[in-house]
Amino acid sequence: MSNIKCDIKDIGLADEGRQRIEWAERDMPVLRMIRQRFEEEKPLAGVRLVACAHVTTETANLARALSAGGADAVLIASNPLSTQDDVAAALVKHYGVSVYAIKGESIETYVKHVSIALEHNPQLIIDDGSDVVATMLKDRPDLLPNIIGTTEETTTGITRLRAMAKDGRLSFPAIAVNDAQTKHFFDNRYGTGQSTLDGIIRATNILLAGRTVVVSGYGWCGKGVAMRARGMGSNVIVAEINPIKAIEAIMDGFRVMPIIEAAPLGDVFITVTGSRHVIDGTHFARMRDGAIVCNSGHFDLELNLTALKELSTDVRTVRPWVEEYKLQDGRRIMVLGEGRLVNLAAAEGHPASVMDMSFANQALSAEYLVKNKGILENRIHLLPEEVDLEIARIKLAAMNVSIDSQTPEMIEYMNSWQSGT
Ligand code: ADE
């Protein structure tokens, strides 16, 4: 640790953290290959980098790849409740990464960590939710001339980047990692699907079979959650605002209705919309005694917990990550993980196997930004599709799966328009 700057819970947890980081690495073959190449080629040599991410075993493996590439990296938490303290300790002690992240940190500490990270005078920012980029624009515009570019991990962060672009504030290239096919098809769907149920089960130990689960939002995350809840034997209701996604949910076999109608029917409510106050006071007021409510969207404002508190006479913690709100008429509503991402607050986030592809995209986006320094337009970019396909090819090879390739006849046909009926 010696001279590595940090603000973490307990350096004594480092050995346990290293063991878990190595465990995750076994399921991250693509990122491992990138790390090995980065070790030789040093594509990020000397680049000052700030990464704002959930500090998990998977993120630790991303940090290892970035450091192997020569980056001078500082890592901060992207959520007050998602840090794994043993991982933070291992990164500092065993991998020489400067980390500012403590599970359960206050909002003040969270904000302080963002501003400490900005003191690093970053050239590259890897963001998850866009808090670092937004803070830089608001508080530290003096840093803008040094910025080579940023990458964004999540749907919510990209929504914020689009709003910045609309306001004419996006004065650097940004790569929408979330929009890569090897990211959202897998991380958002299978990752969120599994880890959200994992968080609910670890927090409550309830049986999902036979329960009514209400999923609010049918984007890639909502699709994954609804699919996995059905797989566990739940009756799933979907709430949506987008008519096309609503039809998708119907044709996937789910009941669709407004959240106000679903409120008295649900045993478990899960928000994955990216929006605000999706479950509000009027909905809480209609819920059954014992209803369980949680959020797996990026920010904690999907549930209006202020409104719930106003309806309640008492709030108490009944299990780790479970708060019981008692309403005036005696009904109780259980809120998991303080309304923050339940999969990271009450469980360990997405498994390594999907984060492998997400973080391969992150590492390759960092390299792409540096390689194309000064060339890319100041707007939101996708990584080239060939990179996406290459990540998928390596992943398939690691899974020991081979697939067909096109014959010359197929290629010719696919490139022609002459032959038809
Ligand atoms: N987001 C969701 N799951 C994650 C994980 N395991 N690591 C980092 N970010 C995540």
Side-chain angles (χ1 to χ4, degrees), residues 403-408 410-411:
I403 59 171
D404 293 317
S405 48
Q406 290 192 97
T407 61
M410 289 172 181
I411 294 171

Side-chain angles (χ1 to χ4, degrees), residues 54 56 58-59 128 153 187 343-344 348-351 355 359:
H54 303 297
T56 63
E58 294 75 25
T59 298
D128 185 338
E153 171 77 4
D187 170 320
N343 57 342
L344 283 141
E348 294 171 67
H350 306 349
M355 294 314 294
F359 286 164

Side-chain angles (χ1 to χ4, degrees), residues 135-213:
T135 306
M136 176 178 67
L137 288 185
K138 281 189 276 193
D139 301 344
R140 294 296 310 271
D142 57 301
L143 300 177
L144 282 167
N146 292 326
I147 296 291
I148 297 170
T150 75
T151 71
E152 175 50 57
E153 171 77 4
T154 197
T155 318
T156 291
I158 291 168
T159 305
R160 290 179 89 185
L161 285 174
R162 286 210 187 95
M164 287 170 203
K166 207 168 141 219
D167 278 354
R169 300 293 301 276
L170 198 65
S171 55
F172 41 83
I175 301 203
V177 166
N178 182 72
D179 293 353
Q181 299 178 77
T182 45
K183 200 281 186 183
H184 66 273
F185 285 161
F186 306 100
D187 170 320
N188 301 30
R189 180 168 35 174
Y190 304 108
T192 310
Q194 178 167 318
S195 64
T196 299
L197 297 195
D198 185 16
I200 294 169
I201 292 167
R202 288 198 209 191
T204 63
N205 197 28
I206 59 162
L207 183 76
L208 282 165
R211 306 245 177 177
T212 298
V213 172

